[in-house]
Structure formats: C-alpha cells, structure tokens
C-alpha cells in the first residue's frame, strides 16, 4: 500500500507515527519511508509483510455520524483497508449493520458535561421513581433546576400531573445527539414510533440539524430519510400523538 507525506500510520515495531518523507527506493531493496514517531524520533521503515499500516480513524465502539446522511452509528468492526480506502462495519439505531467509508464518517465526541440545565433530557432509571408517574427508560425534559437539590421536569403526556421533581443523582443526562424535543416532549432517535393512524415512523437528525422522519406501514422499513421528508415537529402536530414502539 502506498503512503504520502502527512499520512498517519502505525508501524509494527515503532508504533504510531506520521510519514515525513517518501516513498523512495532504498539500497536495501523495496519501498521505504521516513516515519516521524513519538518524541521527535525518526525511523526508516519499509512496507514488506504489513510492516507499515494506515492508522485507524476509529475503533470498535466509537460513536460516529454519517457526513451525508446525518445518521448516528456505532463502529461494530474494522478498520478494513482495500483499494477504495478505509472502511468500517457500522450499526445504526435500528440494529442494522452495514459498511461505511471512513471518509463518510465523523466522530461524535462523548458527552463529558453532566451538569443539567433547562431543556436537557434525562432518563428515568426505574418505575415510580420518587413516587412519580414514570416508567424505567422514560425520557423527560428538564423544566428548571430548583436550587441544588431538585430537578423539575415536564411530565409525559397523560401523566397525572404536569411536572415531577427528582433528586439530581436519581436521573441521568441523555446525549443531546440521540434525542429531539418537540413541545417539551423528548423523542428517542434510536427507536421507532407509531402515529394515531397506526403507521410507523423512523427519525434521524439531518446534517443541517433538522430532525426528519419517514412514514411506513411496516416497522421494518429502511427507506433513506432525506431533506424532503416531514420534520419531527410536523409529524407530531399532524399525526400525533406518537407512541414509542
């Protein structure tokens, strides 16, 4: 495999580095490169029997987003290198595994800010938490923070009151990329929903940030979601309420 100056690579002996010069034909035979390693050290390296390999852009378990589809994926296997470049086996929110080129994926940074603020979404860990009319796995939108000791959330539609109050340590902040909020109701972008007519909807966040969905008679539909599909807000207001499948 050919490399060029600036390529990130991994050498089986010297580890991670970057191509600083090459390729060139060595007096020792074969194609060689000058690789810049850690600590400013440089190494003359060859390419025989997999001695030098491209550095992987992602690793198994990484969360990534499609640059063109806007869909969220988890890296299931890889990297794989072929004539068309680096690619990975990826799993979408429905559990379907496909392949994607590394050039068509971008990393989703893990959420490190756990502090809550109004508009954030939290996950409920168990049924009837603190006496509230909630179920394990419910996603609720933070309305306000009442001092340090209480998180006030909007109750789910149909609950016996409009708000619930929880201790901060009893709820978990949800990654904003995995949910969308309409009219103070949180929707999970990794599951399907059913509208009032019984049709199924699958939603995803497009590259422009807008969440759009596809309507189908079957929950197994895998039609690609494009910019002409209904937005989540339109779907909720025209076909709601939406029920999680």
């Amino acid at each position: 495999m050919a490399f060029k100056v600036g390529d990130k690579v991994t050498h089986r002996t010297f580890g991670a580095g970057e191509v600083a010069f090459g390729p060139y034909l060595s007096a020792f035979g074969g194609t060689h490169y000058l690789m810049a390693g850690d600590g400013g050290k440089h190494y003359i390296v060859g390419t025989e029997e997999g001695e030098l390999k491209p550095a992987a852009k992602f690793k198994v378990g990484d969360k990534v987003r499609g640059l063109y589809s806007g869909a969220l994926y988890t890296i299931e296997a890889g990297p794989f290198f072929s004539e068309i470049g680096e690619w990975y086996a990826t799993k979408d929110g429905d559990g379907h595994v496909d392949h994607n080129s590394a050039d068509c994926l971008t990393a989703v940074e893990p959420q490190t800010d756990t502090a809550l603020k109004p508009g954030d979404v939290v996950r409920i860990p168990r049924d009837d938490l603190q006496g509230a009319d909630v179920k394990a796995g419910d996603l609720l939108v933070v309305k306000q923070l009442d001092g340090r000791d209480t998180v006030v959330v909007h109750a789910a539609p149909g609950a016996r009151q409009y708000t619930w109050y929880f201790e901060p340590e009893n709820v978990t902040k949800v990654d904003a990329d995995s949910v969308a909020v309409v009219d103070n109701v949180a929707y999970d972008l990794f599951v399907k929903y059913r509208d009032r007519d019984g049709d199924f909807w699958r939603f995803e966040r497009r590259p422009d940030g807008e969440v759009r969905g596809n309507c189908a008679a079957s929950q197994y539909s895998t039609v690609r979601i494009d910019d002409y599909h209904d937005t989540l807000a339109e779907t909720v207001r025209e076909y709601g309420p939406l029920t999680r499948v």
Side-chain angles (χ1 to χ4, degrees), residues 93-94 121-124 135-140 156-157 174 178-180 185-196 198-203 219 232 236 239-245:
D94 295 326
V121 176
V122 295
R123 189 182 305 278
I124 301 301
K135 298 293 183 184
D138 281 354
L139 301 178
L140 301 176
V174 175
S178 67
V179 293
V185 177
Y187 295 89
D188 189 338
L189 301 185
F190 284 115
V191 304
K192 289 187 172 68
Y193 287 85
R194 208 165 190 180
D195 65 21
R196 63 170 178 260
D199 291 324
F200 294 90
W201 289 83
R202 178 174 60 88
F203 299 96
Q219 64 174 311
L232 174 58
V236 170
Y239 306 105
L242 300 182
T243 303
R244 179 173 175 155
V245 176

Side-chain angles (χ1 to χ4, degrees), residues 4-36:
K4 64 181 183 300
V5 173
D7 282 352
K8 303 295 183 182
V9 292
T10 300
H11 189 269
R12 67 187 179 198
T13 301
F14 305 123
E18 180 178 309
V19 174
F21 179 79
Y24 65 92
L25 294 177
S26 169
F28 301 103
T31 300
H32 283 68
Y33 295 87
L34 183 64
M35 185 188 89

Side-chain angles (χ1 to χ4, degrees), residues 105-245:
L105 299 171
T106 185
V108 174
E109 294 299 324
Q111 180 176 289
T112 57
D113 179 15
T114 58
L116 292 171
K117 63 183 182 300
D120 283 344
V121 176
V122 295
R123 189 182 305 278
I124 301 301
R126 59 182 181 273
D127 293 356
D128 305 318
L129 179 67
Q130 293 185 233
D133 183 11
V134 294
K135 298 293 183 184
D138 281 354
L139 301 178
L140 301 176
V141 181
V142 176
K143 180 179 181 181
Q144 66 187 60
L145 302 176
D146 187 4
R148 295 183 178 180
D149 301 324
T150 306
V151 179
V152 185
V153 302
H154 295 277
R160 62 175 180 264
Q161 64 187 54
Y162 295 111
T163 55
W164 298 115
Y165 301 81
F166 300 113
E167 296 175 3
E169 61 267 25
N170 285 342
V171 295
T172 304
K173 184 177 179 180
V174 175
D175 187 344
D177 276 334
S178 67
V179 293
V181 176
V182 175
D183 298 334
N184 295 320
V185 177
Y187 295 89
D188 189 338
L189 301 185
F190 284 115
V191 304
K192 289 187 172 68
Y193 287 85
R194 208 165 190 180
D195 65 21
R196 63 170 178 260
D197 298 322
D199 291 324
F200 294 90
W201 289 83
R202 178 174 60 88
F203 299 96
E204 67 180 37
R205 183 171 279 107
R206 302 290 298 147
D208 63 1
E210 189 74 76
V211 174
R212 295 182 180 272
N214 173 66
C215 175
S218 167
Q219 64 174 311
Y220 303 107
S221 171
T222 58
V223 173
R224 175 173 175 162
I225 297 173
D226 287 309
D227 291 339
Y228 64 82
H229 283 96
D230 292 334
T231 66
L232 174 58
E234 291 169 343
T235 304
V236 170
R237 289 159 189 164
E238 294 180 20
Y239 306 105
L242 300 182
T243 303
R244 179 173 175 155
V245 176

Side-chain angles (χ1 to χ4, degrees), residues 17-134:
E18 180 178 309
V19 174
F21 179 79
Y24 65 92
L25 294 177
S26 169
F28 301 103
T31 300
H32 283 68
Y33 295 87
L34 183 64
M35 185 188 89
D38 293 336
K41 294 182 178 179
H42 287 72
Y43 307 94
I44 296 175
V45 298
T47 56
E48 297 298 325
E49 299 180 358
E51 180 180 347
L52 192 66
K53 296 180 179 180
K57 186 175 181 180
F58 306 109
K59 65 180 183 298
V60 172
D62 281 355
K63 303 298 183 183
V64 295
R65 183 184 296 281
L67 288 176
Y68 304 108
S69 68
L72 289 170
Y73 302 100
T74 301
I75 300 295
E76 286 292 293
F80 303 102
F81 297 98
S82 66
E83 293 181 355
I84 63 173
E86 180 181 352
W87 59 277
Y88 294 83
T90 55
K91 182 169 70 175
D92 64 18
D94 295 326
H96 298 136
V97 176
D98 204 342
H99 65 276
N100 274 287
S101 167
D103 292 337
C104 296
L105 299 171
T106 185
V108 174
E109 294 299 324
Q111 180 176 289
T112 57
D113 179 15
T114 58
L116 292 171
K117 63 183 182 300
D120 283 344
V121 176
V122 295
R123 189 182 305 278
I124 301 301
R126 59 182 181 273
D127 293 356
D128 305 318
L129 179 67
Q130 293 185 233
D133 183 11
V134 294

